[in-house]
Amino acid sequence: MEEGGEHASLLVKDDASCHGDESQNLLEAKQGSQLKSKRSNWRAPALILAPGVRRAIPGLLATTPTVSLSMLLCNNQIAFSYIERMLIGYNPAGLECLESMAFNGIATNLVVYIRSVIHGGIASSASTVSLWFGTSFFVPILGAAIADTYLGNYKTILISLIMYLLGMVLITVATFMPSTSVLCDTSSSCLSSDGTQNLIFFVALYLTAAGCGGVRSALLPFGADQFNNEHSLDIKRRRMFFSSFYICVIFGVITSGTIIVWVQENVSWAIGYGIATTCIGLALIGFLLGTPIFRQHEPCGSPVESIFKVIVATFRNMSLEVPDDSSLLYEVRSNHTQRIKLAHSDDFRFLDKAAVISDLSLAYGNRGSSWSLCTVTEVEELKILIRLLPIWVTGIFFGAAISQMHTTFIQQGTVMNTKIGSLTIPPASLYSFEVICVTLWVLVVNKVIVPATRMYFANGAELTQLQRIGIGRFLMIFAMAMAALLETKRLQSVREAEPLSIAWQLPQYFIIAGAECFAVITQLEFFHGQAPDSMKSMLTAFALLTTALGNYLSSAIITFIAGVTVVWQSPGWIPDDLNRGHLDYYYWCFAALSLANFVVYLYFASKYKLKKVVIS
């Protein structure tokens, strides 16, 4: 992807900042002995690339070139530290796998439980589940604000895991309680089950949503913060961490959707929920065991307050002229502040009015009200948010396209020949194939594509994060086009009375897995790296939110298209009987939407200026 103009070299040369290289050594020096005691070249995040336990010392030494066997044997304290880390196999990626299993252990079958056990109506059950899902996706924004402003990531995760575990325990207890035995069918109303059971269950349900939100908002940035960005090896490990974290999320979805759901429906609801509860219990224990080797950063104040201060100060100083020399703008002179200083940028210059000094004495004294004079760093943090906004919006449209994998792809598969040889393949099970493909794509990208780009570029540079996200956006166009062509071929096979095999869907799943690898995983890393120091959890949560908003957008699009096309010509493009519709036209609409989204992304990515840190 061409980055365009004067920014092309910046995207290559300054890619370290895109990887979150924010001069962490400066911050650590200012935060004192707490971080110094946790600094090393081999820390908890080096372990988190795999959610399991490091099996043996030789494997440890093989992945840690700077550590020799003699070092371990000569220094008992060092040896004990490394053995301790080897035994503490739990880590943010592994913890997320357990959290994903627990959450989806509730979510996947929740509507069935409310309908069959609590005896809710069809409409009310669906409404209850939708409300709970929406809450669980939006609570991370609140959790991120609390983490960035007051508690920090570590305390937020710890408190959230405790709330999560308490909620899961109460859900399991509620399922053990006897409920009113009533036959629910479409011809009769269901009697309400025991009120106490309902109260416990729903209180526990929203307690888990709150705990889940706190964990989701803080766990990913907390894991990324474990890396020392001064070392190129840690930068590579950090990239693998984001890949592993995402794979752990989808692995948890598959595990819960098979094992836990099967136990719930065929053995016992209580045992099924008990398994999910055990997952959160293990996550909490693993997190506590990892405490001695975790690096913790203190919160930097309210990000929302900082944003409003800049806006208010800008309007207050509207009559002031912005100096041509940016060094005349206000910045904290002391090096004792914990906030990393950002370099001035030339775009959105009207916001620089917030940092215009009307009295030169303020440059070295008390600046008075922070609502009338802000630092360059505070202004630049708002500029970063403005630059990220269009990138974030294109992520929502990308999320709408990728959500077809969970909806229309499955519906397409149900009207195809699901037999491959002697096996009957459930259409929804192809999602497992996509997860395997994501894993393969991650390996190919890191082991083949990245080294190849290093050899291609003369200075040994790699594809920038913006370029990788662009590749993902581009692959989505092909995935939608392939789905459209396949649907055209499928409709032709129906007319010829020769149903098409579901195996023809595998290529589109493979391509969409590549788009997911390049765009979704890299977007998490990009937002965390570009986020202002006081907003890392907040922007990571917003990056994750694109998936939820993409699903909402997809729902609105399919409802609109189905309604409009029925008016045009019955039965429309997406009728109940897909053999009478034109799902291929619907896919072509998404291919066109993905193309437009890619063009918009190219424009804003080419204009994007990476964050620059002032090293003093």
Side-chain angles (χ1 to χ4, degrees):
M1 187 183 73
E2 194 67 32
E3 299 293 337
E6 62 181 354
H7 307 299
S9 60
L10 178 62
L11 290 175
V12 176
K13 295 178 181 178
D14 289 337
D15 191 45
S17 67
C18 230
H19 290 286
D21 186 2
E22 304 164 23
S23 302
Q24 291 283 10
N25 55 323
L26 282 176
L27 181 59
E28 290 166 7
K30 295 165 186 173
Q31 288 180 324
S33 60
Q34 180 186 5
L35 290 182
K36 286 183 179 180
S37 63
K38 301 187 182 298
R39 289 169 64 187
S40 69
N41 197 36
W42 199 84
R43 304 179 308 277
L47 291 170
I48 70 180
L49 299 184
V53 179
R54 293 291 184 187
R55 298 295 181 184
I57 289 289
L60 172 65
L61 297 177
T63 58
T64 314
T66 59
V67 179
S68 64
L69 183 60
S70 60
M71 288 173 62
L72 294 177
L73 296 178
C74 292
N75 192 321
N76 290 333
Q77 183 178 3
I78 296 178
F80 177 79
S81 175
Y82 274 79
I83 292 173
E84 178 188 41
R85 288 167 179 159
M86 178 187 69
L87 294 176
I88 300 176
Y90 293 102
N91 47 71
L95 296 181
E96 177 54 31
C97 183
L98 292 170
E99 187 277 327
S100 179
M101 290 173 62
F103 175 80
N104 290 285
I106 301 174
T108 305
N109 238 8
L110 181 58
V111 69
V112 177
Y113 180 83
I114 294 176
R115 175 66 178 159
S116 62
V117 179
I118 298 183
H119 312 308
I122 293 177
S124 63
S125 297
S127 176
T128 299
V129 173
S130 296
L131 183 61
W132 181 76
F133 259 107
T135 303
S136 65
F137 277 114
F138 281 96
V139 166
I141 303 299
L142 178 61
I146 293 174
D148 284 335
T149 307
Y150 303 108
L151 299 180
N153 288 325
Y154 176 84
K155 291 180 182 178
T156 301
I157 296 170
L158 180 59
I159 294 173
S160 299
L161 282 174
I162 293 173
M163 293 174 60
Y164 211 149
L165 180 60
L166 178 60
M168 292 298 302
V169 169
L170 289 176
I171 286 177
T172 305
V173 169
T175 57
F176 270 111
M177 297 176 65
S179 60
T180 305
S181 179
V182 177
L183 179 63
C184 294
D185 54 41
T186 57
S187 62
S188 63
S189 300
C190 291
L191 297 179
S192 176
S193 62
D194 184 74
T196 303
Q197 181 189 23
N198 284 356
L199 178 63
I200 294 176
F201 182 81
F202 285 108
V203 168
L205 201 60
Y206 280 90
L207 192 59
T208 58
C212 167
V215 172
R216 284 180 175 177
S217 64
L219 190 58
L220 180 59
F222 179 74
D225 285 343
Q226 303 303 306
F227 293 88
N228 187 341
N229 293 294
E230 299 174 51
H231 302 283
S232 58
L233 182 61
D234 259 7
I235 292 175
K236 296 175 183 177
R237 286 171 173 167
R238 183 174 178 271
R239 180 187 304 149
M240 283 301 301
F241 163 73
F242 281 94
S243 300
S244 295
F245 190 94
Y246 190 76
I247 290 173
C248 283
V249 172
I250 53 182
F251 177 80
V253 174
I254 293 176
T255 304
S256 61
T258 52
I259 299 174
I260 296 180
V261 169
W262 185 89
V263 171
Q264 290 170 343
E265 294 187 352
N266 295 280
V267 181
S268 166
W269 285 100
I271 294 177
Y273 284 131
I275 295 173
T277 303
T278 302
C279 290
I280 290 299
L282 291 174
L284 178 58
I285 294 172
F287 186 73
L288 292 173
L289 289 175
T291 299
I293 59 173
F294 286 146
R295 300 170 67 204
Q296 302 178 35
H297 296 267
E298 294 298 321
C300 298
S302 173
V304 178
E305 181 182 356
S306 176
I307 293 171
F308 279 108
K309 281 181 178 179
V310 175
I311 295 174
V312 170
T314 299
F315 280 99
R316 282 188 173 183
N317 299 338
M318 192 62 69
S319 60
L320 299 178
E321 292 292 332
V322 177
D324 294 332
D325 186 357
S326 62
S327 64
L328 298 177
L329 297 174
Y330 179 73
E331 184 57 279
V332 177
R333 305 290 181 178
S334 172
N335 288 329
H336 298 295
T337 179
Q338 290 187 358
R339 176 172 290 187
I340 294 176
K341 295 179 184 178
L342 300 179
H344 176 264
S345 60
D346 293 329
D347 50 353
F348 309 114
R349 283 184 58 83
F350 66 93
L351 291 175
D352 290 339
K353 290 180 180 290
V356 174
I357 303 171
S358 58
D359 186 347
L360 292 178
S361 63
L362 292 177
Y364 300 96
N366 186 359
R367 61 169 166 170
S369 173
S370 59
W371 292 84
S372 58
L373 181 60
C374 300
T375 65
V376 171
T377 294
E378 291 170 333
V379 173
E380 288 302 316
E381 288 178 346
L382 179 55
K383 289 182 180 181
I384 288 173
L385 294 183
I386 297 174
R387 293 189 200 107
L388 284 174
L389 183 60
I391 305 294
W392 180 76
V393 171
T394 62
I396 297 175
F397 285 90
F398 179 86
I402 207 170
S403 70
Q404 304 311 305
M405 179 174 56
H406 308 289
T407 54
T408 56
F409 278 19
I410 295 175
Q411 292 169 328
Q412 184 186 47
T414 59
V415 288
M416 301 177 75
N417 180 9
T418 58
K419 283 189 174 292
I420 299 180
S422 59
L423 298 176
T424 299
I425 308 297
S429 67
L430 291 187
Y431 178 62
S432 300
F433 170 77
E434 194 269 348
V435 173
I436 295 172
C437 289
V438 170
T439 307
L440 292 176
W441 272 102
V442 169
L443 293 175
V444 169
V445 168
N446 287 282
K447 302 297 183 182
V448 178
I449 297 179
V450 170
T453 55
R454 289 198 197 115
M455 295 177 61
Y456 177 78
F457 291 113
N459 58 356
E462 303 173 3
L463 288 172
T464 68
Q465 291 175 344
L466 287 172
Q467 289 169 340
R468 296 207 301 271
I469 295 173
I471 292 173
R473 301 278 195 271
F474 184 71
L475 287 176
M476 183 56 69
I477 303 171
F478 279 95
M480 292 297 102
M482 290 177 68
L485 293 172
L486 175 63
E487 181 64 12
T488 302
K489 184 176 179 65
R490 188 195 68 79
L491 290 174
Q492 182 181 354
S493 71
V494 170
R495 290 190 291 269
E496 296 172 355
E498 296 180 0
L500 206 61
S501 172
I502 196 173
W504 282 94
Q505 279 195 312
L506 295 181
Q508 67 197 46
Y509 275 99
F510 178 76
I511 297 300
I512 210 169
E516 195 171 354
C517 172
F518 276 103
V520 179
I521 297 175
T522 309
Q523 181 171 282
L524 292 173
E525 185 181 357
F526 177 72
F527 270 67
H528 181 270
Q530 288 296 292
D533 195 49
S534 60
M535 305 181 191
K536 288 198 175 292
S537 297
M538 179 76 76
L539 287 188
T540 303
F542 269 100
L544 292 169
L545 187 61
T546 56
T547 301
L549 295 179
N551 278 274
Y552 293 146
L553 178 60
S554 172
S555 176
I557 291 174
I558 195 171
T559 301
F560 174 77
I561 290 180
V564 170
T565 54
V566 165
V567 175
W568 286 350
Q569 183 178 5
S570 181
W573 291 358
I574 316 174
D576 291 336
D577 183 3
L578 290 180
N579 292 334
R580 299 177 57 214
H582 270 291
L583 191 61
D584 51 343
Y585 295 170
Y586 172 77
Y587 285 137
W588 282 121
C589 286
F590 258 101
L593 183 64
S594 298
L595 175 60
N597 190 51
F598 174 67
V599 172
V600 171
Y601 173 82
L602 278 182
Y603 174 79
F604 285 105
S606 65
K607 301 294 183 180
Y608 191 89
K609 294 182 180 180
L610 297 176
K611 179 178 67 176
K612 288 185 178 181
V613 176
V614 175
I615 301 177
S616 56

